[in-house]
Amino acid sequence: MLDLSRLRALHAVSVHGSVAAAAAALGYTPSAVSQQIAKLERETRTTLLERRGRGVALTEEAWHLADTARELLAIVERAETTLEERRGQPGGLLTVAAFASAARGLLPGVLAELARRHPGLDVRLTEVDPHLSVDLVARGVTDLAVAHDWDIAPLPAPDGVEQALIGHDHCDLVVPEGHPFTRRAAVRREDLGGQRWVCQPPGRVCHDWLVRTLRTAGFEPDVAHVAEENHTIVALVAAGLGVAVVPRLGTGALPPGAVSVPLEPGPVRRLYALWRAGAARRPAITEAVRTLRDHWAAQEGAVREGPVPGPRPGDPGRVLGGGGAVRQ
């Protein structure tokens, strides 16, 4: 009889590509995952992992077994969903993946309320890239994801993944104190030429938005400094090293030396919760989504003191990608 926890470990390695990454996703140590795989090899009398340089690779037999593990885990999930639904109370393990600023600016309060209201629910958070999180939900690696998209980069959602709109996160133009833009009531996009920019790396949505927006206005962006974290970006702006477009969520109050200025039209990114369609009836999912929306509604407009850049756009009201319906 194959042990489900060992199959789960193998499945995680197949999804995440390494023992260390699988361990981080499962909340185990790499040594514990390796031990689970070794026991599974003895049970099946099959070599499942092979050394490749400093890492490991799954054998062909391991890939077949990982596919079977995925199917078995989906069956277990349906059974657990049915039992939890019959109990009518959120419970069990709920794994959540969220992008960095949501993990910092939204999830702490949400997780604390879920723990207080539902002591039988064990919620585990992992910080991941928003587009990676969609795939993790689709593969059954995580139960719920908090992701975002922009108008230039709609969030792809494969068949079998549903999503709900949480809210809209406004973005500010942040400039150094004393910058000429601080004397304006608002800055138009066609006025952004000639600036030195602080931005996230190429390939990130914020960077792509900046490049496309300025090129549409007839300018080639001069990206002087590149940083991953919004706090670092804001610190560089406060030091007088450039200007930036920064989402409010997770950024917090601006430090001395940095000032937010309305940008018209103001960029807005949309925040979504995503889950597998098979788990839609699970009380833990519905309660987590409700709590996410409640916390967002409570803090929206108070994420940072300062001007709101333009009116909030309406819900796009469309399917994001191939299959999931946007639920209101």
Side-chain angles (χ1 to χ4, degrees), residues 234-266:
V234 170
L236 291 167
V237 173
L241 299 174
V243 303
V245 173
V246 181
R248 295 182 178 184
L249 176 63
T251 302
L254 294 178
V259 179
S260 64
V261 180
L263 183 61
E264 293 184 353

Side-chain angles (χ1 to χ4, degrees), residues 189-231:
R189 294 183 181 183
E190 53 265 34
D191 298 331
L192 295 176
Q195 302 296 318
R196 288 169 60 86
W197 290 90
V198 186
C199 191
Q200 289 186 332
R204 304 295 289 273
V205 179
C206 292
H207 183 279
D208 294 345
W209 180 91
L210 177 67
V211 171
R212 292 192 192 186
T213 298
L214 265 65
R215 286 178 178 170
T216 299
F219 308 111
E220 188 63 29
D222 178 12
V223 178
H225 305 286
V226 175
E228 288 279 357
E229 287 290 327
N230 287 333
H231 283 102

Side-chain angles (χ1 to χ4, degrees), residues 12 15-16 20-28 93-104 107-108 111 122-134 136-137 141-147:
V15 169
H16 294 281
L26 294 172
Y28 301 152
L93 177 65
L94 180 71
T95 54
V96 180
F99 62 97
S101 54
R104 180 173 57 247
L107 268 299
L111 301 185
D122 181 11
V123 185
R124 305 289 180 95
L125 172 67
T126 302
E127 181 182 306
V128 298
D129 180 88
H131 288 276
L132 292 179
S133 64
V134 177
L136 294 180
V137 171
V141 179
T142 193
D143 299 314
L144 185 71
V146 179

